Amino acid sequence: MSRLNILVADDESVIRTGIERTIRKHFPQHRIALAASPEEALQLFKGEPVDLALVDILMPGMTGLELMEVARKGYPQVKWVVISAYSEFAYAQEAVRLGAKDYLLKPIGKDTLIEMIGKLGEEIARENERIKDDQLLKRNLRFLREAVFARWASGLDLGGIDIGPFTENHPHFHLLMVRMESDSDTKLEHFIVENVLSELIENEGQGFVASVDAKSLLGLATLSGKGSLARLVEQLRVHLKRYLKAPFQVLHTERITDLAAVPAEVQRMRKTAASQVYDHYASGGDQAIDVAIQYIRTQYHTD
């Protein structure tokens, strides 16, 4: 069984320590945090992640039900078990209706507690495994989408793969290309561009970023009603000048509604890039020489 982070919230010291002692004896791998009040419990929620919360139904200041209501919104992954006296049993039933996994009646039987922790521990472990699998699947699908889109955008054959499902949430979009100029390894710069551009696209709408080659990245951005391409491009330049240690270019298209136009638009941006001077980051130094060389390369045929 995987290790759980368990929170026990009860204003009665004897209940808290009794539960802690039983869990530590039979499940030494679990971590236990104790709270004497709902306010203290909320503070603990903000610290360590909580997998399982055992909370007293009636505590001074806030009931266990109210604690559930407050914490469930911010911590939806937590499993809840309520502790109640027999006279408060109706509250316990209400808590289960609201989503608590179970309830413990005082005085709490050790065997009941052990069985419950074992059962919920297995359930949480299965869910965590499923979440990890889902995250892995989403990550792999994201990489597949970006690789397929980059290949399509470069004008290469997709071997029968339909590009439509990869962009079906983007009936219209702009393309943004960032190209870097460097003779050294650009892995770090690549990572910076991908993260900055992804975040800025999310600020203005939705989309994704695909790696075209070691020195080029392509962003697809579907702008929201308040989204601005000009603001996105300007912010991208500002951030990259601050963080990149290599000269770069930012190019973009007008609004695209026909997916078939993408390869030609990417080719157009590549041609534009060949005669466009690179930006360079503010600190100058050796990179300023790179920029000068690039300027000479692009302008040598003019007076």
Side-chain angles (χ1 to χ4, degrees), residues 49-170:
V50 176
D51 298 302
L52 175 60
L54 281 66
V55 298
D56 187 17
I57 279 286
L58 292 183
M59 290 183 283
M62 184 188 293
T63 69
L65 297 181
E66 290 168 335
L67 176 58
M68 276 182 67
E69 283 295 321
V70 170
R72 272 196 318 171
K73 295 180 180 67
Y75 308 94
Q77 80 288 352
V78 177
K79 297 283 186 288
W80 296 84
V81 171
V82 293
I83 304 165
S84 76
Y86 187 76
S87 59
E88 303 153 5
F89 185 56
Y91 286 109
Q93 289 178 309
E94 176 66 10
V96 170
R97 193 184 66 78
L98 288 172
K101 299 300 293 184
D102 215 329
Y103 54 86
L104 293 168
L105 284 176
K106 301 175 188 177
I108 298 167
K110 289 183 181 179
D111 291 343
T112 303
L113 178 60
I114 292 164
E115 182 184 350
M116 181 180 293
I117 296 294
K119 181 183 71 176
L120 291 176
E122 290 174 4
E123 183 179 323
I124 291 167
R126 284 196 303 271
E127 283 190 12
N128 288 344
E129 200 62 40
R130 194 160 56 243
I131 288 168
K132 278 197 296 186
D133 288 345
D134 288 347
Q135 289 173 340
L136 181 63
L137 178 61
K138 284 178 183 175
R139 195 157 58 242
N140 288 344
L141 286 174
R142 179 171 65 84
F143 287 143
L144 175 63
R145 177 185 65 181
E146 291 168 9
V148 168
F149 185 74
R151 187 174 176 85
W152 162 258
S154 298
L156 300 173
D157 179 53
L158 294 182
I161 296 175
D162 180 11
I163 189 70
F166 293 91
T167 55
E168 61 186 6
N169 293 327
H170 304 281

Side-chain angles (χ1 to χ4, degrees), residues 68-289:
M68 276 182 67
E69 283 295 321
V70 170
R72 272 196 318 171
K73 295 180 180 67
Y75 308 94
Q77 80 288 352
V78 177
K79 297 283 186 288
W80 296 84
V81 171
V82 293
I83 304 165
S84 76
Y86 187 76
S87 59
E88 303 153 5
F89 185 56
Y91 286 109
Q93 289 178 309
E94 176 66 10
V96 170
R97 193 184 66 78
L98 288 172
K101 299 300 293 184
D102 215 329
Y103 54 86
L104 293 168
L105 284 176
K106 301 175 188 177
I108 298 167
K110 289 183 181 179
D111 291 343
T112 303
L113 178 60
I114 292 164
E115 182 184 350
M116 181 180 293
I117 296 294
K119 181 183 71 176
L120 291 176
E122 290 174 4
E123 183 179 323
I124 291 167
R126 284 196 303 271
E127 283 190 12
N128 288 344
E129 200 62 40
R130 194 160 56 243
I131 288 168
K132 278 197 296 186
D133 288 345
D134 288 347
Q135 289 173 340
L136 181 63
L137 178 61
K138 284 178 183 175
R139 195 157 58 242
N140 288 344
L141 286 174
R142 179 171 65 84
F143 287 143
L144 175 63
R145 177 185 65 181
E146 291 168 9
V148 168
F149 185 74
R151 187 174 176 85
W152 162 258
S154 298
L156 300 173
D157 179 53
L158 294 182
I161 296 175
D162 180 11
I163 189 70
F166 293 91
T167 55
E168 61 186 6
N169 293 327
H170 304 281
H172 60 83
F173 53 86
H174 297 266
L175 296 178
L176 298 100
M177 179 177 278
V178 177
R179 290 172 58 87
M180 292 172 282
E181 174 65 27
S182 176
D183 293 327
S184 58
D185 189 344
T186 55
K187 282 192 180 73
L188 177 60
E189 283 76 12
H190 212 276
F191 177 78
I192 291 169
V193 172
E194 185 174 2
N195 280 272
V196 168
L197 182 51
S198 295
E199 185 172 337
L200 291 174
I201 287 174
E202 290 302 315
N203 288 347
E204 301 294 340
Q206 60 172 334
F208 57 86
V209 179
S211 172
V212 179
D213 54 49
K215 297 181 181 180
S216 306
L217 293 99
L218 190 64
L220 180 149
T222 297
L223 302 177
S224 65
K226 296 180 180 178
S228 163
L229 179 66
R231 183 169 55 227
L232 199 168
V233 171
E234 176 58 27
Q235 285 295 305
L236 182 59
R237 287 185 187 280
V238 169
H239 282 77
L240 295 187
K241 281 185 178 181
R242 180 178 176 187
Y243 295 119
L244 277 192
K245 300 301 180 187
F248 65 90
Q249 294 169 310
V250 174
L251 304 107
H252 63 84
T253 68
E254 296 300 317
R255 192 171 186 262
I256 297 173
T257 55
D258 181 9
L259 191 60
V262 168
E265 285 289 343
V266 171
Q267 191 61 30
R268 181 191 61 76
M269 284 192 286
R270 287 186 185 278
K271 285 182 180 176
T272 302
S275 59
Q276 178 175 306
V277 179
Y278 279 74
D279 286 328
H280 64 96
Y281 70 102
S283 57
D286 291 341
Q287 301 297 340
I289 298 171

